[in-house]
Amino acid sequence: MFTGELPLPPHFQADKVGEVWKVPYEARANAARGWAREHALQPASEDRFRIALLLVDVQNTFCIPGFELYVGGRSGSGAVDDNRRLAEFIYRNLGYLTEVSATFDTHQALQIFHATFLIDERGEHPAPYTQVSAEDVRSGRWKFNTAAAVSLGIDSDYGQRHLQHYVDELESRQKFQLTIWPFHAMLGGIGHALVSSIEEAAFFHAIARYSRPDFMLKGFNPLTEHYSAVGPEIRTDPDGKVIGEKSAKFFQKVREFDALLIAGQAKSHCVGWTVADLLEDIQAHDPTLAGKVYLLEDCTSPVVVPGAIDYTDEADAAYRRFAEAGMHLVRSTEPIATWPGLRLPSPAG
């Protein structure tokens, strides 16, 4: 008989959450089937109250110390602590979670937010974390790197016009300035992969509940940033041509599931902007649906680069706005049965 919150399975090692390692799939599959029998876990298809867990960019590049854009938050151990709690949350609530889905930030070397896209008058690329303003491009401080044009399938004039259009649009829409990020989430690289402990937990859930994970790539377009999983930052080029579209997939999850839980990295960027775009869709169609969204506040951290940038206050302010709009701010360490608005099944299933 399913008894609600479960114990942590014997294979889980909290002290390995900040490391990269190979998941032993066959061993975990066998263990998951046994775990399901032991705890009377039904197939996810039989859930009467359907809960989706969305993991935004829980990848090595953001979550493992020493990787390219490790999200340490102000504590320095942010993403590691977040993922320890997240893995424990998945295991403890295995019988409640109908689906685990995940987005993957997905990049290559030549993209508008990587140094190779821009040069100065000496032909030098900007350093990581350089903020590029509209005036910087207009004055010629930074310009499009014409050497990248052929590879990108554009001409040099278009590249420069697009760069100016892009930074102008960011400023007119009061978004963050174009940031030159270190190379990260590189397609085909180890940084692109899901954090091992979270991959293991998601795989364990998939076997135990017969629930196929929904994995989604984002951020591949070289001409726009793609913080939000819902859509790119800028969707048209200087000629008005569409270069990226919003996805209705996340709004559909809110409509199709009884609850959507959201965690991941970083609170100030990809998570925060995903939630903001999702809220925009909700408010345009049915504002009451905001009450179906639960933000795991202790499973996400803001971008903080000591001595350079700190987005903690902006992230916290955004989450307050989300709560005011009807979304729920919850903690993974609180029993899910105590969360407001959830109509969970009785321990008997």
Side-chain angles (χ1 to χ4, degrees):
M1 178 184 296
F2 171 51
T3 57
E5 189 171 282
L6 302 176
L8 298 177
H11 68 259
F12 176 64
Q13 298 181 57
D15 59 353
K16 290 183 63 179
V17 172
E19 302 174 10
V20 177
W21 40 271
K22 178 182 178 296
V23 175
Y25 299 113
E26 290 302 324
R28 292 296 171 266
N30 290 333
R33 286 189 284 267
W35 199 250
R37 288 192 298 271
E38 179 181 349
H39 296 283
L41 298 178
Q42 65 187 10
S45 60
E46 298 180 16
D47 286 355
R48 296 199 303 272
F49 190 87
R50 303 176 70 243
I51 300 176
L53 172 62
L54 171 61
L55 311 179
V56 178
D57 300 358
V58 184
Q59 298 162 265
N60 292 329
T61 200
F62 302 115
C63 298
I64 302 297
F67 272 67
E68 300 85 6
L69 281 179
Y70 172 62
V71 181
R74 286 179 176 172
S75 71
S77 59
V80 174
D81 294 337
D82 296 336
N83 287 333
R84 174 182 50 77
R85 288 186 287 263
L86 180 57
E88 292 177 352
F89 175 81
I90 294 172
Y91 286 127
R92 291 191 186 283
N93 296 286
L94 212 66
Y96 289 132
L97 300 177
T98 307
E99 177 190 270
V100 176
S101 59
T103 67
F104 291 78
D105 214 22
T106 306
H107 303 319
Q108 291 188 303
L110 299 178
Q111 298 203 237
I112 198 167
F113 46 80
H114 281 157
T116 47
F117 198 92
L118 294 89
I119 55 173
D120 61 15
E121 61 184 8
R122 297 170 299 171
E124 299 292 332
H125 300 300
Y129 303 111
T130 297
Q131 304 283 303
V132 180
S133 70
E135 180 57 30
D136 288 337
V137 177
R138 190 170 296 109
S139 68
R141 180 181 180 187
W142 296 114
K143 57 186 179 179
F144 172 63
N145 177 16
T146 59
V150 172
S151 179
L152 293 171
I154 60 178
D155 61 46
S156 298
D157 175 68
Y158 177 92
Q160 184 62 33
R161 288 193 301 113
H162 180 74
L163 178 60
Q164 186 67 67
H165 162 77
Y166 191 85
V167 292
D168 285 342
E169 284 290 293
L170 289 179
E171 292 195 4
S172 69
R173 298 183 186 189
Q174 297 183 316
K175 290 180 174 285
F176 293 148
Q177 287 185 335
L178 173 61
T179 299
I180 303 305
W181 295 105
F183 297 104
H184 66 286
M186 302 298 284
L187 182 62
I190 194 171
H192 185 261
L194 203 62
V195 169
S196 299
S197 292
I198 301 303
E199 180 198 1
E200 182 178 54
F203 178 77
F204 196 82
H205 173 271
I207 300 297
R209 302 294 316 281
Y210 293 105
S211 175
R212 182 173 181 264
D214 185 11
F215 289 167
M216 300 159 277
L217 304 185
K218 70 177 183 67
F220 195 70
N221 190 323
L223 298 180
T224 180
E225 298 158 291
H226 208 303
Y227 294 118
S228 168
V230 176
E233 297 311 296
I234 302 300
R235 299 170 190 153
T236 59
D237 73 358
D239 301 321
K241 180 181 177 182
V242 175
I243 60 173
E245 298 274 13
K246 284 185 67 175
S247 170
K249 186 167 193 172
F250 303 92
F251 178 64
Q252 283 301 111
K253 285 190 183 294
V254 176
R255 298 186 70 169
E256 293 172 2
F257 287 85
D258 296 298
L260 176 64
L261 323 183
I262 303 177
Q265 303 303 335
K267 183 180 182 180
S268 54
H269 286 71
C270 294
V271 176
W273 292 16
T274 295
V275 176
D277 279 353
L278 176 60
L279 179 59
E280 181 179 289
D281 285 342
I282 287 172
Q283 291 178 328
H285 293 87
D286 181 358
T288 65
L289 294 177
K292 296 172 70 173
V293 179
Y294 295 76
L295 307 179
L296 291 169
E297 203 170 16
D298 61 340
C299 294
T300 184
S301 292
V303 170
V304 177
V305 180
I309 52 178
D310 184 339
Y311 290 107
T312 302
D313 292 341
E314 291 90 337
D316 290 345
Y319 266 49
R320 287 194 294 272
R321 291 195 299 273
F322 301 151
E324 290 168 0
M327 294 180 174
H328 304 280
L329 305 187
V330 295
R331 300 186 68 81
S332 67
T333 52
E334 299 169 347
I336 193 171
T338 67
W339 293 2
L342 294 185
R343 301 184 305 279
L344 299 178
S346 67

